[in-house]
Amino acid sequence: MLHSIIHSYLNQNQESFHGAVLVSHRGEILYQEAFGLANREWCIPNAVDTGFRIGSVTKSITALGILKLVEAGQIQLDNRLVEYIPDFKRAGGITLTHLLNHTSGIGNITMQPDFTIQSLQRRSVDELVAWIHSLPMESELPANFSYSNSGYVLLGKIIETVTGLTYAEFLEPEIFGPAGMKEFRPGIKLDLVQPGERLRDDD
């Protein structure tokens, strides 16, 4: 049944979906199959174990990491950004809650006119923080909701500052391990390679 329903849909939308589908119930995999191309240039098809970038889904993972630190009593949501990143003195009363809720008013790096060019330059976390610091504020507190990648870069830096670990080192035992997420690989370069070659670590 699942097979026929999924294939019936995809047969009508062959060009609109390239990825993998998995359906499970109570831990039992009922259906899994990959569709379309992982790389159009080399005509490499997707497989059920193809790695995909998850983009801004990482924001929910970062938020969970912050809440784990709150749960452990290491930080509080009403603590100010400047307590962890002293260079942000101009941030004034911006708190972790503002960063989590996209209401900090901090300039968003991905909305800058030169972002596409700037993003080609590989940067450390500290360099990203410095870039964000150099941007003008979008608005002062109380700020309205404005989706911000900058805020979550700063939250990742706060995780590193509080724990003394890298973002990836913190996530593995605190989130990925307990959740059984064995294939999640922060910092991995997912540019697809020719068949038979391996993905390379991007650190």
Side-chain angles (χ1 to χ4, degrees), residues 56-71 75 77 96 99-102 151-152 155-156 159 167 170-171 175:
S56 285
V57 175
T58 56
K59 288 184 174 64
S60 61
I61 297 171
T62 300
L64 178 57
I66 289 291
L67 294 178
K68 293 283 287 184
L69 293 178
V70 171
E71 184 179 57
I75 61 174
L77 293 180
L96 305 193
L99 296 175
L100 288 165
N101 292 343
H102 302 277
Y152 273 77
L155 288 167
I159 288 174
Y167 181 76
F170 170 77
L171 294 181
I175 296 176

Side-chain angles (χ1 to χ4, degrees), residues 140-153:
E140 300 298 326
L141 295 177
N144 293 325
F145 176 90
S146 180
Y147 188 86
S148 176
N149 288 294
S150 293
Y152 273 77
V153 171

Side-chain angles (χ1 to χ4, degrees), residues 2-188:
L2 277 174
H3 185 279
S4 61
I5 292 173
I6 293 171
H7 278 257
S8 175
Y9 171 79
L10 290 177
N11 285 337
Q12 300 173 46
N13 301 274
Q14 292 183 20
E15 293 303 315
S16 62
F17 180 74
H18 294 264
V21 178
L22 184 145
V23 181
S24 67
H25 179 66
R26 295 181 178 177
E28 178 187 358
I29 295 177
L30 304 179
Y31 175 90
Q32 63 176 336
E33 191 167 352
F35 301 89
L37 296 175
N39 185 289
R40 294 176 184 270
E41 181 181 359
W42 296 330
C43 293
I44 300 174
N46 275 315
V48 294
D49 60 352
T50 295
F52 298 95
R53 290 189 178 276
I54 64 172
S56 285
V57 175
T58 56
K59 288 184 174 64
S60 61
I61 297 171
T62 300
L64 178 57
I66 289 291
L67 294 178
K68 293 283 287 184
L69 293 178
V70 171
E71 184 179 57
Q74 294 180 262
I75 61 174
Q76 297 296 324
L77 293 180
D78 59 359
N79 287 355
R80 296 186 303 153
L81 168 62
V82 72
E83 296 177 44
Y84 305 101
I85 309 178
D87 287 345
F88 272 84
K89 291 183 176 64
R90 65 187 175 88
I94 293 174
T95 66
L96 305 193
T97 296
H98 291 127
L99 296 175
L100 288 165
N101 292 343
H102 302 277
T103 56
S104 70
I106 289 174
N108 187 9
I109 52 175
T110 55
M111 293 302 292
Q112 304 310 303
D114 61 346
F115 172 73
T116 301
I117 295 174
Q118 292 284 351
S119 65
L120 298 176
Q121 179 180 336
R122 186 174 173 183
R123 298 172 188 263
S124 68
V125 174
D126 287 337
E127 288 171 334
L128 281 173
V129 170
W131 182 13
I132 295 168
H133 183 264
S134 72
L135 301 177
M137 296 289 291
E138 288 185 357
S139 59
E140 300 298 326
L141 295 177
N144 293 325
F145 176 90
S146 180
Y147 188 86
S148 176
N149 288 294
S150 293
Y152 273 77
V153 171
L154 297 175
L155 288 167
K157 175 60 178 177
I158 289 169
I159 288 174
E160 294 190 340
T161 299
V162 171
T163 64
L165 304 171
T166 67
Y167 181 76
E169 289 169 344
F170 170 77
L171 294 181
E172 179 57 41
E174 293 292 334
I175 296 176
F176 301 146
M181 298 171 67
K182 299 177 182 179
E183 298 301 322
F184 196 96
R185 294 170 289 175
I188 291 294

